[in-house]
């Protein structure tokens, strides 16, 4: 919510629908999907929505990749290029598997494939803000999405990992049978955002 489609969609919606109340709920992808399915939320910005879910419609808005967050001065920040096999002995801040089992398993598989066969996990954090804070205080390094650079603490460096390819599709998701006019207006607004239109054009071409 620091940069890009998400805050811009909220800003424009408030301008165009000043009479509507916009309630924001910061939740994980899994929690959002459950809340939208149950009708507690009208829509959510979620990562890697299962396209086969018959209850949902969705609009892809952007694609993100994983990068490494490390405290400034960490030995890894001195390398010209970082590969997964280079960080085998490094202390990691990770996230609990229960927060996103599919993502957790995909990341572990990608690490194993690249030579990081058993990450040295010393601490878990349930969300990216907590993880970045732990990295800042030298607990370890962590994998975060590349949009973390917009809210990264000054004492944390964002580093690319050349052989870590694990893209995350961010989509706006909502229930197909939700006929709310406000939801329809919001989806239409997001669809017309320049960043979303450019992303859709790139995916088609």
């Amino acid at each position: 919510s620091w940069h890009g489609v998400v805050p811009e969609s909220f800003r424009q919606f408030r301008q165009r629908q000043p009479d509507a109340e916009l309630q924001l709920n910061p939740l994980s992808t899994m929690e959002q999907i459950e809340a939208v399915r149950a009708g507690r939320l009208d829509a959510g910005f979620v990562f890697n929505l299962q396209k086969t879910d018959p209850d949902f419609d969705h609009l892809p808005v952007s694609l993100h990749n994983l990068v490494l967050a490390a405290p400034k001065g960490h030995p890894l920040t001195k390398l010209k290029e970082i590969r997964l096999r280079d960080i085998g002995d490094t202390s990691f801040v990770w996230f609990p598997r229960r927060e996103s089992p599919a993502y957790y398993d995909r990341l572990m598989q990608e690490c194993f494939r690249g030579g990081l066969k058993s990450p040295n996990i010393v601490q878990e954090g349930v969300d990216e803000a907590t993880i970045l804070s732990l990295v800042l205080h030298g607990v370890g390094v962590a994998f975060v999405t590349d949009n973390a650079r917009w809210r990264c603490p000054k004492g944390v460096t964002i580093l690319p990992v050349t052989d870590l390819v694990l893209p995350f599709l961010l989509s706006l998701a909502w229930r197909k049978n939700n006929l709310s006019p406000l939801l329809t207006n919001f989806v239409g607004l997001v669809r017309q955002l320049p960043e979303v239109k450019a992303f859709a054009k790139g995916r088609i071409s």
Side-chain angles (χ1 to χ4, degrees):
S1 62
W2 288 76
H3 178 81
V5 171
V6 176
E8 183 63 16
S9 67
F10 298 155
R11 184 185 71 81
Q12 291 202 25
F13 186 73
R14 284 193 177 281
Q15 287 182 346
R16 298 184 188 188
Q17 299 278 172
D19 55 334
E21 180 182 359
L22 181 63
Q23 297 182 350
L24 306 181
N25 294 272
L27 302 169
S28 69
T29 286
M30 188 176 295
E31 290 170 329
Q32 287 186 76
I33 290 173
E34 291 175 354
V36 171
R37 193 186 305 279
R40 297 191 302 274
L41 290 180
D42 286 307
F45 286 100
V46 300
F47 280 114
N48 294 338
L49 179 71
Q50 294 294 325
K51 297 178 182 179
T52 56
D53 195 318
D55 296 333
F56 283 83
D57 209 343
H58 72 285
L59 172 64
V61 298
S62 61
L63 194 68
H64 298 277
N65 293 297
L66 285 186
V67 292
L68 189 72
K72 285 189 175 179
H74 191 280
L76 289 174
T77 63
K78 299 175 175 60
L79 298 179
K80 291 183 179 180
E81 181 181 88
I82 299 175
R83 300 179 67 84
L84 286 166
R85 63 171 181 258
D86 300 326
I87 48 182
D89 297 328
T90 307
S91 297
F92 266 95
V93 179
W94 217 264
F95 62 96
R97 187 178 183 276
R98 66 178 181 275
E99 293 296 318
S100 182
Y103 168 31
Y104 187 102
D105 293 344
R106 286 178 63 203
L107 179 55
M108 283 295 188
Q109 290 171 5
E110 191 70 14
C111 287
F112 188 88
R113 182 197 59 76
L116 178 58
K117 297 186 177 181
S118 182
N120 179 27
I121 301 171
V122 298
Q123 182 64 52
E124 291 185 337
V126 295
D127 56 55
E128 199 163 78
T130 301
I131 289 172
L132 287 171
S133 177
L134 292 168
V135 171
L136 174 65
H137 289 90
V139 175
V141 302
F143 291 123
V144 295
T145 55
D146 54 10
N147 61 338
R149 67 185 183 274
W150 299 108
R151 59 180 180 276
C152 196
K154 291 183 178 180
V156 175
T157 301
I158 297 296
L159 305 166
V161 181
T162 58
D163 58 343
L164 179 57
V165 182
L166 192 61
F168 285 84
L169 180 64
L170 180 67
S171 300
L172 177 65
W174 63 95
R175 252 184 16 262
K176 289 180 178 179
N177 62 357
N178 188 336
L179 303 179
S180 163
L182 284 176
L183 173 61
T184 300
N185 290 345
F186 184 73
V187 172
L189 181 155
V190 173
R191 197 182 301 276
Q192 293 304 313
L193 290 175
E195 186 175 337
V196 175
K197 293 174 72 173
F199 179 63
K201 184 177 179 181
R203 282 170 59 85
I204 293 171
S205 59

